[in-house]
Amino acid sequence: MTNLMAMPLVLPILMAVLLIFLRNYRYVQRVLVVVTLLVMIGMSIVLLQHVHTDGILRLDFGGWQPPFGILFVADPFAVLLVLIATIVTLFCMVYAFSSFSARYERMFAYPLMLLMLAGVNGSFLTGDIFNLFVCFEVMLLASYALIALGGRTEQLRESLKYVITNIIASWLFLVAIAFLYGTIGTLNMAHIAQRVQEVGSDPLITTIALFFLIVFALKGGLLLFFWLPGSYSVPPVPIAAMFGALLTKVGMYAIIRTFTLMFTAQPEITHQLITIMAIITLIAGSLGALAYRDIRQIAAFNVIIGVGFVLLALGANNEAAYAGAIYYMMHDMVGKAMLFLICGTMIYLTKQERYDDMSGLIRHYPLFGWMFLVVMVSLTGMPPFSGFVGKVMMGEGLVASGSYVSLAIGFGASVIILYSLLRVMLHAIFGETMIADEDKVKLPKPMLLSIVVLGAVSLYLGTSAEMVLPYVTDAARVLADPSIYIEAILGK
Amino acid sequence: MRINDVILRTVVRFVVFIILTLAIYLFFAGHYSPGGGFIGGLVIASAFVLLYVTFDIEKVKKGIPVDFKKVAALGVFLAVGTGFGSVLFGVDFLTQAAKKFHIPLLGEKELGTVMLFELGVALTVVGVVMTIIVSIAEGDGD
């Protein structure tokens, strides 16, 4: 049973390898990708149910007991994110089937996307800080290839920035791990947490914590997001959607995991700093979302606003805020994937990148136009869509801890999201159409389908909050009380 | 201009076999003592690179007619696949087993499933290293 936990990492790797041998059989590739991802979604749901009833599970690779071996830990937070990541990947893939050219499909695009998912899932599930580094690298190596695949000039320019930034971040990550190992003498995350608690508030550990914060802030786009808008807007649409939906989430997950579990000794320094960084990120992201007219840039800055909003939870540091953060992260994965897919489709349909060069898309593509309304409402956080529940809980948490500044700026940013997308909607979706009926580009069904389904997932997360909430509160409890996690790993 | 490399060619013919033997030794020495699939794979790759340096690419390709990308893929498949062996036996993922066997001529030897895993690692290393070096050497191929 515990072996089920390895599957979100192992299945995509195995299937990616298989697809390399099936390079020239495009349709076989597509079928296999869909089947694998459906199986993975099923497994994640079973695993989630299992974790919900039996508590946190662990898988010791090769039977080596913690704290000596490398292990995977299935806690509700990780499994929820794995589930949503796999669902999002499935629909990005379905979208890719109709948007990738045959050449792209033969250049190993699907295997690379699967490998990236493997790295993302591995990062969520791992319970060992060095293994976290390895899973980060798996994810990043796949993303390096994906961002440059196609070889257009701007792709190469942005991929160079992206690769250099991430290599420096990875190097810092390795240095930080070395410092931590030198100080604490263990790499198992639960064991580190235990030893840090024994040491108490030690300035050395706080310094190491800040090191980790820089690393994860670079990867997650918290304050240090200078590389993000460029590199997220150059790859092909479905890949950009996966980037926007998944990659920053891994950095955010790592920040939340390490700063709720391991580095909790001096919150007046670390958590305070994270809050300040989150607030600046929110403000800068809002400015960016307002400043640009290129819709891909607007989408990218919306990602940054999402990062800032979720990490406000660490400042509040209570269960309600964490529940809100988890719910919002799940919502954000679906919402951002949908936003990137929609923006990409708009560019595909009009051949324009600026929203003021587009007009009247809803006349030719009514359902697509309504989907833009859905994503806008969802990202703003209005009921009945998923953003609402997360924002309400986050608001409760922030009020409970008295962080009114965070509250005001976090909710103010929602208004900015609404405004930035409403501008696009009024210009590009409404208005008089500029395209004559005979010049109309056909919108392929699979593209529309994946956007509609993601919208439906967002609606489901919003309306069936009662079904999802028990899992989310489970996850939040673990974050608010790290001793549950430590006991599950080292107690047995 | 043709450089006279008769010494290089003659030496390489022998040295390649010595390197490959060393690679096999390192490969089997692994697990309990220094060595293993990664090092073994690197040494095998270095033997191949030496062949590429000495003889021209076409000739070596005729001698070793494999697509190194697929070698790497096969390696990953094998390494991950051995993990599934432990799933079938209902133990933790990647658990390895070993047993002593009496093999004629060689005597008492321990055979372990970890060897299959290491073989996967070795093939991956050979495949990746060769793919990188050959594609840099060829400029834009494919």
Side-chain angles (χ1 to χ4, degrees), chain B residues 9-92:
Chain B
R9 280 162 183 268
T10 321
V11 170
V12 162
R13 261 176 217 160
F14 293 102
V15 165
V16 160
F17 284 99
I18 297 172
I19 296 178
L20 287 177
T21 316
L22 176 71
I24 291 167
Y25 166 75
L26 281 173
F27 175 74
F28 282 110
H31 199 42
Y32 292 129
S33 48
F38 192 87
I39 311 291
L42 273 183
V43 176
I44 294 175
S46 73
F48 287 169
V49 171
L50 195 59
L51 284 178
Y52 274 102
V53 172
T54 319
F55 307 97
D56 50 305
I57 287 183
E58 281 75 35
K59 202 177 255 175
V60 183
K61 269 204 174 144
K62 222 184 276 169
I64 318 170
V66 287
D67 180 353
F68 283 108
K69 284 196 221 50
K70 292 199 171 150
V71 172
L74 186 70
V76 176
F77 196 77
L78 200 59
V80 180
T82 53
F84 274 91
S86 46
V87 175
L88 292 181
F89 286 100
V91 288
D92 283 342

Side-chain angles (χ1 to χ4, degrees), chain A residues 248-485:
Chain A
T248 53
K249 301 298 173 298
V250 179
M252 285 148 73
Y253 168 83
I255 292 181
I256 294 178
R257 176 62 83 206
T258 45
F259 285 89
T260 56
L261 179 65
M262 286 151 48
F263 304 121
T264 50
Q266 281 191 307
E268 69 277 10
I269 297 177
T270 48
H271 291 49
Q272 198 67 42
L273 187 66
I274 294 174
T275 310
I276 295 169
M277 286 167 84
I279 288 175
I280 300 175
T281 310
L282 275 168
I283 295 172
S286 303
L287 291 178
L290 292 179
Y292 283 94
R293 281 168 197 280
D294 181 335
I295 52 176
R296 292 176 306 180
Q297 298 278 352
I298 294 175
F301 276 101
N302 268 298
V303 171
I304 293 167
I305 298 177
V307 176
F309 187 77
V310 168
L311 292 173
L312 288 178
L314 278 166
N317 204 7
N318 56 29
E319 201 177 311
Y322 286 132
I326 295 164
Y327 215 107
Y328 195 82
M329 261 174 98
M330 291 162 57
H331 144 78
D332 206 47
M333 283 167 137
V334 177
K336 290 292 143 58
M338 198 176 161
L339 180 65
F340 272 83
L341 290 182
I342 286 183
C343 289
T345 312
M346 285 165 76
I347 294 171
Y348 168 79
L349 292 175
T350 58
K351 310 278 179 295
Q352 305 290 337
E353 282 154 14
R354 293 160 59 94
Y355 70 81
D356 41 6
D357 294 338
M358 307 173 188
S359 189
L361 281 171
I362 201 164
R363 318 257 164 215
H364 289 303
Y365 316 100
L367 184 57
F368 177 72
W370 286 108
M371 280 301 130
F372 192 92
L373 179 73
V374 168
V375 78
M376 183 178 78
V377 170
S378 170
L379 286 177
T380 311
M382 282 192 260
F385 293 98
S386 50
F388 176 68
V389 189
K391 282 199 173 159
V392 167
M393 283 193 291
M394 178 73 100
E396 274 176 32
L398 290 172
V399 169
S401 72
S403 337
Y404 297 109
V405 180
S406 303
L407 185 74
I409 292 177
F411 281 66
S414 305
V415 181
I416 305 283
I417 295 179
L418 178 64
Y419 177 66
S420 73
L421 294 178
L422 199 59
R423 279 187 315 167
V424 179
M425 173 125 185
L426 291 179
H427 254 100
I429 305 289
F430 290 152
E432 278 309 306
T433 179
M434 294 189 294
I435 309 166
D437 272 330
E438 53 267 25
D439 298 336
K440 176 179 151 184
V441 183
K442 209 170 159 306
L443 177 60
K445 287 268 179 339
M447 286 193 183
L448 193 59
L449 175 80
S450 41
I451 294 172
V452 171
V453 176
L454 284 174
V457 172
S458 173
L459 186 64
Y460 174 81
L461 282 176
T463 51
S464 314
E466 276 176 25
M467 280 186 67
V468 188
L469 226 83
Y471 303 102
V472 174
T473 40
D474 256 16
R477 196 171 313 128
V478 177
L479 293 185
D481 181 9
S483 61
I484 301 175
Y485 187 98

Side-chain angles (χ1 to χ4, degrees), chain A residues 205-229:
Chain A
I205 290 172
T206 307
T207 315
I208 294 169
L210 294 180
F211 238 101
F212 275 104
L213 181 59
I214 295 172
V215 173
F216 296 143
L218 262 172
K219 309 235 180 201
L222 172 69
L223 189 59
L224 309 170
F225 57 73
F226 51 89
W227 53 272
L228 192 148

Side-chain angles (χ1 to χ4, degrees), chain B residues 1 7 9 13 15 31-32 38 51 55-56 62 71 77 85 96 100 104 110 114 122 124-125 127 130-131 135 138 140:
Chain B
M1 190 190 75
I7 295 176
R9 280 162 183 268
R13 261 176 217 160
V15 165
H31 199 42
Y32 292 129
F38 192 87
L51 284 178
F55 307 97
D56 50 305
K62 222 184 276 169
V71 172
F77 196 77
Q96 310 290 346
K100 283 207 183 341
E110 195 179 69
V114 73
T124 311
V125 172
M130 292 313 292
T131 307
S135 43
E138 279 178 340
D140 77 15

Side-chain angles (χ1 to χ4, degrees), chain A residues 184-198:
Chain A
I184 301 280
T186 178
L187 291 172
N188 180 308
M189 298 207 300
H191 202 211
I192 294 171
Q194 199 183 35
R195 289 203 172 164
V196 169
Q197 277 178 9
E198 283 163 11

